[in-house]
């Protein structure tokens, strides 16, 4: 429910940035890969208890993830392969981040693994 409202509000800005990225030759898959790398970096930072860095990398990861779909649409539409890679990257990042938090906060491991 909130996701739809947030997407509606962000759509104009995302479309503007996506048009610029697409015009610069950035592919949706490159953004998916960047989001994956940033997300894994955020998990590593969380594991090292570098919480500010983990937050920044996590947010950048989510921005990249939010832009891959609009870029795909600007470049003529997404593909099943691209959609599959996007969802696999999303789940890998979500799982890695929770795992990283569990490493960085051993006292919260049980709760974090229950979340996972």
């Amino acid at each position: 429910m909130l996701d739809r409202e947030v997407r509606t509000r962000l759509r104009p800005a995302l479309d503007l940035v996506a048009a610029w990225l697409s015009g610069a030759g950035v592919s949706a898959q490159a953004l998916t890969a960047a989001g994956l790398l940033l997300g894994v970096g955020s998990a590593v930072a969380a594991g090292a208890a570098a919480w500010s860095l983990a937050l920044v990398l996590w947010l950048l990861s989510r921005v990249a993830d939010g832009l891959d779909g609009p870029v795909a649409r600007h470049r003529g539409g997404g593909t099943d392969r691209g959609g599959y890679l996007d969802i696999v990257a999303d789940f890998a990042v979500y799982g890695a981040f929770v795992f990283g938090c569990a490493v960085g906060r051993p006292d919260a491991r049980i709760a974090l693994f229950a979340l996972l």
Side-chain angles (χ1 to χ4, degrees):
M1 188 162 120
L2 290 175
D3 188 48
R4 184 183 321 208
E5 178 70 24
V6 170
R7 265 193 272 150
T8 299
R9 290 178 187 252
L10 290 178
R11 181 169 286 126
L14 289 174
D15 283 342
L16 182 66
V17 174
W20 181 80
L21 289 169
S22 180
V26 177
S27 71
Q29 289 182 6
L31 286 167
T32 298
L36 175 63
L37 291 175
L38 289 162
V40 169
S42 73
V44 171
W51 301 112
S52 295
L53 179 59
L55 175 62
V56 168
L57 292 173
W58 173 261
L59 292 173
L60 290 172
S61 169
R62 299 303 80 208
V63 168
D65 182 51
L67 285 168
D68 60 3
V71 166
R73 286 187 287 282
H74 275 278
R75 299 191 92 193
T79 64
D80 288 342
R81 179 177 181 258
Y84 177 75
L85 291 174
D86 180 51
I87 195 73
V88 168
D90 288 347
F91 278 102
V93 167
Y94 298 150
F97 187 75
V98 172
F99 183 81
C101 288
V103 171
R105 287 292 307 259
D107 57 316
R109 281 186 184 155
I110 292 174
L112 287 162
F113 285 133
L115 175 64
L116 187 61

